């Protein structure tokens, strides 16, 4: 009886694997042929503000928002804003709306030659205050909550430290590296002056996206092969392939970064390690971290290769006049943000915090 | 879910190769070599452009056609102007707020 049951189990396993291999072959052909499992911008939205390349997108929901103020999500200058709307079921903006928030995405756009002179002041002193004002007008709110990923968190802290007109009620920083002494050998080389900003600029005056993609890939040289192995093993699973395609597209689609902003990042964030030494500047004037008074939650990933824990944890100590909470997650830089754990564990806890800093409408 | 045998074997090989590679690319020697390579690449690019690009630019100017360099310089001027306009807009808004505050708005 036990033998029969074992044999049945083995046969069933073999049958499942044969079926999966057939689906793998079919999906493999579709993949190579360029099929799309995860179309771009799966959640409907409207561009409600635009200035130069920068845009504010307001996402449409079937049900009206239950909570106020609205939430603006933003990434830094090296990532693409579509990371917040990767695929159905894995979209941050979709999750925000399902939770009852009014959701906006701040998209800095893809820099070209005309944007080479853009500085951090352009983004945090000009674009974002205007975008926030538009979001407030549309949503009828006096302020907004901001959810900032990676470099976006640093930009937000600097903007608030500079006392820019950013009517922010609360700030979420996700995997934001404030201490630049722990970001690997390439960053060390830039900090030590072995690699200068001019070395990274192309003929447009910007840092090409490819330079940044290669810098990230260098951290794990075999990651491409590992990813393909994971893909082959899971190619039978359409949901997996959808997520894989969406996340892969984001990781390889880093846009150029404005050259002038890059120079500031190198001088202040990297060489001076200004978040740790409290020597940030904005419009030539000191931007003191003591000026940041909004509640903050720092979300950090314990297995983050790009923004290691030593670089992200300082958020807890570096804002003397802000109420700072910490959420540590056993995840990597991307899995903190996209994938099953992000959807089931990380985002609900972040949204709990945002909801605690919001109120019901009406 | 337990990994199939081929995947476990792949993991072993990948770590055997990947770990030393990761150490190599994190080493100061690799960075120095990479930086030297970048400088050589830029120097060659500049030298090639000076010869070929300069000749192309001269030829285009002879027939009254703007060159890539002309367009780049124009774009840089437009970018500077845009930066100045934004700075003026920010100052104007600050002044408006100050006046609004003084009027008790």
């Amino acid at each position: 009886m036990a033998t029969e049951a074992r044999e049945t189990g083995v046969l069933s396993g073999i049958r499942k694997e044969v079926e999966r291999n057939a689906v793998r072959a079919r999906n493999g052909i579709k993949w190579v042929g360029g099929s799309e499992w995860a179309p771009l911008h799966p959640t409907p939205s409207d561009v409600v503000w635009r200035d130069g390349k920068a845009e504010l997108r307001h996402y449409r929901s079937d049900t009206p928002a239950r909570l106020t103020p609205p939430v603006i999500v933003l990434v830094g200058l090296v990532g693409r804003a579509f990371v917040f709307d990767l695929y159905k079921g894995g979209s941050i903006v979709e999750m925000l709306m399902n939770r009852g928030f009014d959701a906006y995405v701040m998209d800095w756009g893809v820099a070209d030659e005309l944007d080479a002179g853009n500085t951090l002041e352009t983004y945090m002193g000009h674009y974002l205050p205007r975008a926030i004002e538009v979001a407030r007008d549309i949503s009828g709110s006096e302020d907004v909550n901001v959810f900032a990923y990676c470099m976006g968190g640093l930009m937000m802290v600097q903007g608030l430290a500079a006392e820019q007109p950013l009517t922010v009620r609360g700030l979420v920083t996700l995997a934001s590296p404030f201490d630049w002494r722990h970001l690997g050998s390439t960053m060390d080389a830039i900090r030590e002056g072995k690699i200068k900003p001019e070395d990274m600029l192309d003929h447009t005056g910007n840092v090409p996206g490819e330079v940044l993609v290669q810098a990230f890939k260098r951290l794990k040289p075999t990651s491409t092969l590992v990813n393909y192995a994971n893909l082959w093993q899971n190619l039978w699973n359409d949901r997996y392939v959808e997520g894989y395609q969406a996340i892969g597209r984001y990781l390889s689609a880093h846009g150029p970064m404005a050259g002038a902003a890059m120079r500031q990042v190198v001088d202040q964030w990297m060489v001076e390690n200004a978040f740790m030494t409290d020597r940030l500047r904005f419009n030539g004037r000191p931007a003191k971290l003591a000026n940041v008074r909004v509640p903050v939650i720092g979300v950090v990933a314990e297995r983050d290769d790009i923004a290691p824990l030593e670089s992200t944890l300082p958020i807890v100590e570096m804002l003397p006049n802000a109420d700072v909470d910490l959420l540590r997650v056993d995840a990597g830089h991307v899995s903190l943000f996209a994938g099953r754990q992000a959807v089931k564990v990380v985002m609900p806890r972040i949204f709990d915090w945002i909801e605690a800093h919001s109120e019901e409408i009406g | 879910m337990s990994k199939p045998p081929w995947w476990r074997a792949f993991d072993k090989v990948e770590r055997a190769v990947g770990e030393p590679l990761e150490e190599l690319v994190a080493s100061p020697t690799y960075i120095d070599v990479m930086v030297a390579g970048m400088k050589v690449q830029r120097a060659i690019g500049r030298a090639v452009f000076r010869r070929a690009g300069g000749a192309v630019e001269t030829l285009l100017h002879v027939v009254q056609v703007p060159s890539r360099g002309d367009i780049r310089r124009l774009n840089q001027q437009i970018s500077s102007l845009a930066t100045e306009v934004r700075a003026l807009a920010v100052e104007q808004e600050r002044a408006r707020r100050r006046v609004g505050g003084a009027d008790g708005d």
Side-chain angles (χ1 to χ4, degrees), chain A residues 84-321:
Chain A
F84 299 110
D85 190 26
L86 282 174
Y87 57 97
K88 276 213 126 355
S91 160
I92 304 274
V93 290
E94 183 188 39
M95 286 187 260
L96 276 167
M97 290 192 294
N98 289 343
R99 184 67 175 253
F101 296 109
D102 204 358
Y104 294 81
V105 167
M106 182 71 221
D107 185 350
W108 306 119
V110 179
D112 64 18
E113 213 157 34
L114 289 170
D115 305 295
N118 284 1
T119 58
L120 293 172
E121 287 81 355
T122 309
Y123 296 103
M124 303 309 293
H126 182 82
Y127 289 152
L128 188 60
R130 276 157 186 73
I132 288 178
E133 211 169 303
V134 167
R136 284 172 47 204
D137 282 343
I138 292 172
S139 298
S141 169
E142 287 188 0
D143 49 19
V144 298
N145 279 313
V146 174
F147 178 150
Y149 180 38
C150 197
M151 183 184 174
L154 280 72
M155 292 169 67
M156 280 305 304
V157 169
Q158 185 160 7
L160 290 167
E163 298 183 294
Q164 292 303 290
L166 302 168
T167 43
V168 172
R169 182 183 295 194
L171 172 64
V172 179
T173 67
L174 193 80
S176 297
F178 293 99
D179 189 340
W180 287 69
R181 293 173 295 177
H182 307 289
L183 295 184
S185 51
T186 306
M187 296 302 166
D188 288 343
I190 298 173
R191 292 183 65 238
E192 290 159 13
K194 288 183 186 173
I195 303 175
K196 297 191 172 31
E198 286 66 38
D199 296 332
M200 294 183 277
L201 303 183
D202 66 7
H203 65 280
T204 64
N206 298 316
V207 180
E210 190 52 33
V211 164
L212 301 158
V213 170
Q214 291 307 322
F216 290 134
K217 277 192 176 164
R218 248 198 308 279
L219 295 171
K220 292 272 182 205
T222 52
S223 59
T224 305
L225 286 172
V226 171
N227 289 340
Y228 277 130
N230 286 333
L231 177 62
W232 172 254
Q233 181 60 20
N234 292 287
L235 205 48
W236 61 272
N237 184 341
D238 284 322
R239 282 296 285 166
Y240 181 94
V241 179
E242 183 185 28
Y244 181 96
Q245 188 176 62
I247 294 167
R249 181 168 51 213
Y250 169 70
L251 292 174
S252 59
H254 287 301
M257 182 171 164
M262 184 58 169
R263 285 191 187 87
Q264 290 177 306
V265 164
V266 168
D267 288 343
Q268 289 191 47
W269 297 6
M270 294 189 191
V271 174
E272 292 191 56
N273 207 16
F275 287 97
M276 296 293 95
T277 56
D278 200 9
R279 289 167 63 179
L280 292 166
R281 292 183 301 284
F282 201 88
N283 281 327
R285 293 187 281 270
K288 290 300 189 186
L289 293 169
N291 294 331
V292 180
R293 297 173 193 276
V294 303
V296 176
I297 181 168
V299 185
V300 302
E302 291 177 346
R303 291 181 284 107
D304 195 331
D305 293 321
I306 294 172
L309 216 47
E310 301 94 326
S311 69
T312 54
L313 276 176
I315 183 71
V316 180
E317 302 291 340
M318 66 186 221
L319 304 176
N321 290 329

Side-chain angles (χ1 to χ4, degrees), chain A residues 19 41 56 91 115 132 209 246 280 348 359-360:
Chain A
E19 284 166 1
H41 302 303
L56 182 72
S91 160
D115 305 295
I132 288 178
L280 292 166
E359 57 266 353
E360 298 265 345

Side-chain angles (χ1 to χ4, degrees), chain A residues 113-114 198 222 230 233, chain B residues 7 14 25 42 72 75 79:
Chain A
E113 213 157 34
L114 289 170
E198 286 66 38
T222 52
N230 286 333
Q233 181 60 20
Chain B
W7 204 354
E14 186 273 322
V25 299
R42 284 176 69 89
R72 188 179 320 131
N75 280 337
S79 177

